[in-house]
């Protein structure tokens, strides 16, 4: 397992850059996402019709070896089932990777985050719990530092407006995406992981209009999620959507895009990435 010194050094780096100016060029990040249900990696379309995509521990190790910049591990049924993220799985994944590792699912307290960080996570992702009690963002940021706090926002367009959803995208709220994102930033989040439910699993490209608006109105990094299908989609979300990182699942899980090929293509398009 990674040592605490590695964890601290990474968090020091993130702390120095999480409030960076958008005018400073930082390397764009490629982030495979492991959606976990019943101990297996799954993937669906528009948050439904889930299919098995493999062993999360095996996949995590492969991605770390193939050049992924970070990993996101989401226990997608934890909130709906009223339980915490499975620590045993977090421990197993952490033992296999040497890159930053974000964990989400069922997190609702300082104690939850403390256990996850001690189990090997570098950052945590909160979603429904933040909507239900926004003060949680402040508490986690104050306790662990904003570099540890990623707020995931799942939203879809309803009557032309982006509306935030909770509980794995199953429950709509009245929250406006952009207003909620601004509040999240003001409360101390270090990053926002925005998933377009309309684009999720479609492989038709990211929601670059919404991403561009988020990126230009906020000062914290925006991770694009939902819609990756081709290398060009990644190029577009960095150039058009102004995203700071791009997260994807099925195109990586099923070998449709190799991370090395993707990064080489991004370089050719004058997009800064770590090779």
């Amino acid at each position: 397992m990674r040592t605490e010194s590695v964890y601290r050094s990474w968090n020091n780096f993130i702390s120095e850059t999480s409030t960076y100016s958008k005018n400073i060029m930082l390397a764009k990040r490629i982030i495979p996402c492991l959606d976990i249900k019943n101990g297996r990696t799954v993937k669906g379309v528009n948050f439904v019709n889930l299919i098995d995509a493999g062993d999360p521990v095996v996949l995590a190790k492969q991605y770390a070896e193939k050049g992924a910049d970070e990993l996101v591990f989401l226990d997608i049924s934890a909130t709906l089932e009223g339980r915490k993220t499975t620590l045993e799985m977090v421990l197993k994944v952490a033992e296999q990777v040497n890159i930053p590792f974000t964990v989400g699912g069922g997190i609702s307290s300082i104690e939850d985050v403390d256990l996850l960080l001690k189990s090997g996570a570098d950052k945590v992702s909160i979603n429904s719990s933040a909507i239900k009690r926004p003060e949680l963002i402040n508490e986690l940021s104050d306790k662990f530092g904003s570099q540890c706090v990623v707020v995931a926002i799942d939203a879809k367009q309803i009557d032309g407006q982006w509306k935030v959803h909770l509980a794995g995208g199953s429950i709509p709220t009245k929250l406006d995406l952009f207003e909620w994102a601004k509040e999240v930033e003001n409360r101390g989040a270090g990053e926002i992981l925005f998933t377009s439910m309309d684009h999720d699993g479609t492989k038709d490209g990211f929601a670059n209009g919404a991403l561009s608006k988020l990126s230009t109105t906020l000062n914290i990094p925006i991770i694009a999620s939902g819609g990756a299908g081709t290398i060009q989609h990644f190029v577009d979300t960095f150039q058009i959507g102004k995203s700071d990182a791009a997260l994807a699942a099925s195109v990586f899980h099923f070998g449709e895009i190799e991370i090395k090929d993707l990064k080489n293509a991004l370089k050719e398009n004058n997009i800064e990435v770590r090779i």
Side-chain angles (χ1 to χ4, degrees):
M1 186 184 298
R2 292 162 298 172
T3 64
E4 289 188 7
S5 62
V6 172
Y7 164 71
R8 284 195 299 269
S9 65
W10 168 252
N11 278 346
N12 287 340
F13 168 75
I14 290 294
S15 181
E16 291 169 1
T17 59
S18 61
T19 55
Y20 68 92
S21 166
K22 291 287 186 176
N23 294 321
I24 298 175
M25 177 61 72
L26 293 177
K28 304 297 186 181
R29 292 169 287 149
I30 301 300
I31 308 176
C33 180
L34 304 171
D35 289 331
I36 310 300
K37 186 173 184 179
N38 299 324
R40 298 288 293 180
T41 305
V42 295
K43 186 57 190 149
V45 177
N46 303 132
F47 283 41
V48 296
N49 300 322
L50 301 178
I51 61 173
D52 188 274
D55 184 322
V57 179
V58 173
L59 287 172
K61 182 178 181 180
Q62 290 176 349
Y63 291 140
E65 293 172 346
K66 290 182 177 181
D69 296 297
E70 300 184 25
L71 288 174
V72 167
F73 171 109
L74 299 177
D75 191 333
I76 61 173
S77 59
T79 296
L80 283 172
E81 295 171 5
R83 60 175 175 78
K84 307 300 182 184
T85 296
T86 305
L87 290 177
E88 181 181 0
M89 183 67 71
V90 175
L91 283 164
K92 289 180 178 179
V93 172
E95 288 173 349
Q96 299 299 322
V97 303
N98 58 358
I99 57 177
F101 176 36
T102 300
V103 178
I107 299 169
S108 59
S109 69
I110 287 176
E111 291 73 23
D112 292 342
V113 174
D114 190 50
L115 283 173
L116 288 169
L117 295 180
K118 288 177 178 177
S119 297
D122 296 289
K123 296 185 278 188
V124 296
S125 173
I126 57 175
N127 189 336
S128 298
S129 58
I131 295 172
K132 294 175 181 178
R133 196 171 70 84
E135 295 81 7
L136 178 63
I137 303 170
N138 303 74
E139 294 168 4
L140 297 183
S141 179
D142 290 344
K143 176 68 175 180
F144 302 103
S146 62
Q147 76 281 353
C148 279
V149 184
V150 179
V151 174
I153 303 177
D154 301 329
K156 67 184 297 184
Q157 288 188 295
I158 298 176
D159 297 327
Q161 294 184 314
W162 285 97
K163 292 299 181 182
V164 176
H165 287 56
L166 52 75
S170 63
I171 302 174
T173 74
K174 295 181 179 180
L175 287 174
D176 173 80
L177 165 63
F178 305 104
E179 292 176 359
W180 174 234
K182 189 62 181 177
E183 180 176 348
V184 162
E185 178 183 50
N186 290 339
R187 287 184 177 275
E191 294 182 275
I192 287 175
L193 168 56
F194 164 56
T195 300
S196 166
M197 296 173 62
D198 297 319
H199 293 71
D200 177 69
T202 64
K203 299 183 181 179
D204 290 332
F206 295 94
N208 291 319
L211 286 161
S212 178
K213 183 174 180 179
L214 286 169
S215 185
T216 54
T217 56
L218 302 180
N219 293 308
I220 57 176
I222 306 298
I223 305 170
S225 171
T230 68
I231 286 177
Q232 187 61 45
H233 291 155
F234 288 88
V235 173
D236 290 344
T237 201
F238 291 134
Q239 292 183 339
I240 301 172
K242 299 180 176 61
S243 303
D244 300 285
L247 177 147
S250 59
V251 293
F252 297 141
H253 298 339
F254 303 120
E256 297 167 32
I257 296 177
E258 293 294 333
I259 294 173
K260 180 180 179 181
D261 295 338
L262 171 57
K263 287 193 169 184
N264 286 336
L266 293 172
K267 274 283 191 183
E268 291 172 1
N269 282 273
N270 298 313
I271 296 168
E272 185 66 26
V273 291
R274 298 181 186 92
I275 299 294

